[in-house]
Amino acid sequence: MPAAPDFMRPARTDDFAAIDALLRDAFPGPQEAALVRDLRASGEMELEMVMAAPDGIVAHLALSRMVAPSGWLALAPVAVAPAWQGKRIGARLVAGVVRLMAIKGVTVVVLGKPSFYARAGFSSARAARLTSAYPVEYLGIVRPGTDAPSEKLVYPAAFDGV
């Protein structure tokens, strides 16, 4: 197996083809790759981070701006190349971005497996009062403070159908 990924960095334009291929390999359908392309095209992508190894990009995550509440970000998708899954690469990438957003004082929501995202600091209990078009039991939130906000989540249109 190639050397382990040794650093996390922002995605660059010349990474986009590799990110698209990674998303297609990591997920069963093309929806996540299309989501990322659509978020970029609409200008709603706030940040994309990758985990790079000597042989290429092995993990990716996207943070996009929520329509509502203003100033909040959505973490989705998070992808790890199949050969690298189960090695805590995704967990390291998510934890690094959560630390960065905490420094900036930004609220981030995620829809996914609560046990995975809880390890990075996302709280299902704090997200319990949120309303969403997606199942609330899979929502997590990370933000400054200890409150449990009561907000309606409105995702960018690119999320429709994902």
Side-chain angles (χ1 to χ4, degrees):
M1 178 172 276
D6 57 358
F7 68 94
M8 175 176 76
R9 64 169 171 78
R12 301 181 293 242
T13 305
D14 62 346
D15 295 326
F16 290 176
I19 291 168
D20 191 76
L22 168 68
L23 292 166
R24 290 175 182 277
D25 287 344
F27 292 99
Q31 294 88 351
E32 284 78 8
L35 170 63
V36 168
R37 285 192 309 271
D38 291 348
L39 288 167
R40 286 182 196 134
S42 67
E44 294 164 311
M45 187 69 78
E46 177 73 19
L47 177 68
E48 290 181 79
M49 297 295 288
V50 296
M51 189 76 86
D55 62 335
I57 293 170
V58 300
H60 169 265
L61 69 69
L63 283 170
S64 58
R65 289 181 288 282
M66 298 289 293
V67 173
S70 179
W72 288 26
L73 300 176
L75 173 62
V78 175
V80 177
W84 292 96
Q85 291 176 5
K87 300 180 186 329
R88 302 209 27 87
I89 302 299
R92 286 176 46 207
L93 188 57
V94 170
V97 168
V98 165
R99 283 192 298 274
L100 176 63
M101 293 300 109
I103 290 167
K104 292 179 155 208
V106 175
T107 297
V108 181
V109 293
V110 69
L111 183 70
K113 187 176 180 184
S115 61
F116 174 80
Y117 289 102
R119 291 191 302 254
F122 284 89
S123 171
S124 295
R126 290 181 70 195
R129 294 179 40 199
L130 299 174
T131 57
S132 171
Y134 302 102
V136 176
E137 62 267 21
Y138 294 104
L139 282 174
I141 190 171
V142 63
R143 64 186 269 130
T146 59
D147 64 323
S150 177
E151 299 281 349
K152 180 179 180 183
L153 301 180
V154 182
Y155 289 82
F159 281 86
D160 294 348
V162 176

